[in-house]
Amino acid sequence: MRKVVVTGIGVVSPLGSDLNLFWDRLKSGYCGIGPLTSFDASAMTSRIAGEIIEFNPDDFIPKKEQRRMDNFSKYAIGAADLAVKDANLNMDEEDPTRAGVIVSSGIGGLSTLEKQHSIYLEKGPGRCSPFMIPQMIVNIAGGLVAIQHNMQGPNYAIVTACASGTHSIGAAANTIKYGDADVMLAGGSESSTTPMGVAGFCALRALSTRNDDPEHACRPFDKDRDGFIMASGAGVIVLEEYEHAKARGANIYCELSGFGATCDAYHMTAPTEDGKGAARAMTQAIAGAGMNPEDVDYVNAHGTSTPLNDAMETNAIKLALGEASKKVMVSSTKSMTGHMLGAAGGVEAAICALTIKNGVVPPTINHDNPGEGLDLDYVPKVSREADVKFCLSNSLGFGGHNASIGFKKLN
């Protein structure tokens, strides 16, 4: 198998779209969650979210083309462009047939569907936009990214709800390992902080109702957690075959060394309490990296701040790591970003790469009192300097989908 490395990072998030600013805010425990402003949420039980504020699509996309895109595609294009620039990747010097894109979404163009449905009801089917379908479909983001950068290699989308971004990165890494590409853009994008998106999760009673205190609403692994916080964003990383990256003098963040994917086969939305499915995904990622459980220094947890997820994931980490779970650092950066659904895995993979490169583990903010049985080292409130040589990023999705990817520091 060929070695795969991370050479570029692009993030569009509630913490900002400039990579240095994003990382500084993450390290400092800055919270990007606030009152919903993009629509009137007064009738919702949850009226807070991680919205995208510091992002200007004009920096990446001509205005005429923007009118034909849903926000999730705009975020994907922005994150991909930032990642390519961070990697100093010049596609004019690359074989376009050896470069591909796997950028996914959990939901796709939800705001487009909402707007076009209103037009259909008010004005009839003849007034619906001819761009409605291509704006909505999940795979369009990766297609548009490929068009922008002339990447003619493997290109598809993996839809596994909140595990979509992580599955996409794992699949992209395997594409390079198996020799089908030398360069891949991979990650996820989501723009679901819309009326129907928020209403649907409110109906599930999955969201926090701590509306009067948004900065302290997301409380992963805390006994007072009451649900997750909706967020939008995108995270895309540049993956390259190691020798290819070295030959062009690329700045290498770390190696992407392991990938695990499993299914609970248990329930439509609820995870198994014992965490066996998620644990198997972590075990696969560790083994694929040629590592052992005691080698794991840090886990960027799925950590949604829901009663079921946090208890299950804690059990899963204990199952996967055994005695080593007593010393591993675990944090949920969703406490600061909110839950970006299909984009979460892309952003959190970027965080793992930055953690290894910079030697700083971001905190779990708002972790005041551990919940019952939640007794791991969740890096509460304050970031921690640490020499992280190997870490995992976990993502779990409705349908019982589990994914874990391993990142290794290069010697």
Side-chain angles (χ1 to χ4, degrees), residues 6 9 23 237 253-254 348-358 391 407:
V6 179
I9 295 174
W23 180 240
I237 61 176
Y253 284 90
C254 60
E348 288 158 14
I351 292 169
C352 284
L354 289 165
T355 292
I356 288 177
K357 187 73 171 178
N358 296 299
C391 67
F407 296 89

Side-chain angles (χ1 to χ4, degrees), residues 172-329:
N174 284 343
T175 299
I176 296 173
K177 282 184 178 181
Y178 300 151
D180 295 327
D182 298 319
V183 179
M184 294 291 293
L185 296 184
S189 184
E190 202 80 84
S191 179
S192 55
T193 49
T194 69
M196 292 301 293
V198 176
F201 280 106
C202 283
L204 275 173
R205 298 181 180 179
L207 301 182
S208 171
T209 58
R210 200 185 291 262
N211 297 303
D212 296 331
D213 190 13
E215 291 185 1
H216 300 94
C218 193
R219 314 180 64 81
F221 307 106
D222 189 85
K223 72 179 182 64
D224 294 322
R225 66 194 187 279
D226 71 328
F228 75 85
I229 309 296
M230 290 278 284
S232 293
V236 175
I237 61 176
V238 177
L239 299 176
E240 290 187 58
E241 190 274 324
Y242 177 55
E243 295 298 334
H244 179 276
K246 277 205 311 180
R248 70 176 191 87
N251 172 48
I252 297 174
Y253 284 90
C254 60
E255 178 185 354
L256 199 163
S257 53
F259 172 47
T262 66
C263 183
D264 291 342
Y266 169 70
H267 189 272
M268 183 184 295
T269 58
T272 58
E273 290 185 15
D274 57 21
K276 286 183 178 179
R280 284 191 296 113
M282 284 185 272
T283 298
Q284 289 176 8
I286 294 167
M291 306 296 274
N292 298 305
E294 57 268 24
D295 297 321
V296 181
D297 298 306
Y298 169 58
V299 177
N300 187 290
H302 189 58
T304 57
S305 186
T306 59
L308 289 179
N309 174 90
D310 294 5
M312 177 282 295
E313 193 171 10
T314 295
N315 289 337
I317 292 169
K318 291 178 179 178
L319 280 174
L321 303 188
E323 282 296 308
S325 65
K326 295 178 180 178
K327 68 175 181 63
V328 72
M329 293 174 285

Side-chain angles (χ1 to χ4, degrees), residues 39-392:
F39 65 91
D40 181 4
S42 58
M44 306 287 186
T45 54
S46 182
R47 300 183 292 278
I48 53 179
E51 293 183 304
I52 302 302
I53 298 172
E54 297 172 358
F55 172 75
N56 185 355
D58 295 346
D59 295 338
F60 308 97
I61 311 163
K63 285 188 179 295
K64 182 179 179 181
E65 293 180 22
Q66 289 180 41
R67 293 195 290 270
R68 301 174 181 178
M69 297 179 189
D70 189 271
N71 280 338
F72 92 100
S73 290
K74 297 175 188 175
Y75 299 158
I77 290 171
D81 193 61
L82 290 167
V84 167
K85 289 176 180 175
D86 184 51
N88 197 27
L89 181 67
N90 184 351
M91 281 305 297
D92 291 337
E93 299 175 355
E94 299 290 332
D95 178 354
T97 66
R98 300 287 299 169
V101 181
I102 307 179
V103 173
S104 302
S105 178
I107 298 175
L110 187 57
S111 63
T112 295
L113 177 61
E114 292 175 8
K115 292 171 186 174
Q116 293 300 314
H117 184 246
S118 295
I119 291 171
Y120 172 84
L121 293 177
E122 295 170 8
K123 300 179 180 179
R127 297 298 296 275
C128 288
S129 169
F131 295 103
M132 175 177 64
I133 299 303
Q135 281 181 305
M136 286 171 47
I137 54 179
V138 167
N139 63 294
I140 200 67
L144 292 170
V145 167
I147 290 169
Q148 180 147 331
H149 297 284
N150 188 29
M151 293 181 163
Q152 301 172 26
N155 190 310
Y156 53 92
I158 298 173
V159 182
T160 48
C162 303
S164 300
T166 299
H167 275 126
S168 298
I169 292 170
N174 284 343
T175 299
I176 296 173
K177 282 184 178 181
Y178 300 151
D180 295 327
D182 298 319
V183 179
M184 294 291 293
L185 296 184
S189 184
E190 202 80 84
S191 179
S192 55
T193 49
T194 69
M196 292 301 293
V198 176
F201 280 106
C202 283
L204 275 173
R205 298 181 180 179
L207 301 182
S208 171
T209 58
R210 200 185 291 262
N211 297 303
D212 296 331
D213 190 13
E215 291 185 1
H216 300 94
C218 193
R219 314 180 64 81
F221 307 106
D222 189 85
K223 72 179 182 64
D224 294 322
R225 66 194 187 279
D226 71 328
F228 75 85
I229 309 296
M230 290 278 284
S232 293
V236 175
I237 61 176
V238 177
L239 299 176
E240 290 187 58
E241 190 274 324
Y242 177 55
E243 295 298 334
H244 179 276
K246 277 205 311 180
R248 70 176 191 87
N251 172 48
I252 297 174
Y253 284 90
C254 60
E255 178 185 354
L256 199 163
S257 53
F259 172 47
T262 66
C263 183
D264 291 342
Y266 169 70
H267 189 272
M268 183 184 295
T269 58
T272 58
E273 290 185 15
D274 57 21
K276 286 183 178 179
R280 284 191 296 113
M282 284 185 272
T283 298
Q284 289 176 8
I286 294 167
M291 306 296 274
N292 298 305
E294 57 268 24
D295 297 321
V296 181
D297 298 306
Y298 169 58
V299 177
N300 187 290
H302 189 58
T304 57
S305 186
T306 59
L308 289 179
N309 174 90
D310 294 5
M312 177 282 295
E313 193 171 10
T314 295
N315 289 337
I317 292 169
K318 291 178 179 178
L319 280 174
L321 303 188
E323 282 296 308
S325 65
K326 295 178 180 178
K327 68 175 181 63
V328 72
M329 293 174 285
V330 179
S331 71
S332 171
T333 46
K334 289 183 179 72
S335 58
M336 295 172 277
T337 66
H339 190 355
M340 289 174 270
L341 308 183
V347 173
E348 288 158 14
I351 292 169
C352 284
L354 289 165
T355 292
I356 288 177
K357 187 73 171 178
N358 296 299
V360 178
V361 174
T364 305
I365 67 169
N366 303 325
H367 185 73
D368 297 326
N369 299 292
E372 184 178 354
L374 307 186
D375 53 0
L376 300 178
D377 176 4
Y378 301 111
V379 193
K381 298 186 179 181
V382 180
S383 61
R384 189 178 303 170
E385 291 188 4
D387 183 15
V388 175
K389 294 183 174 66
F390 181 64
C391 67
L392 298 175

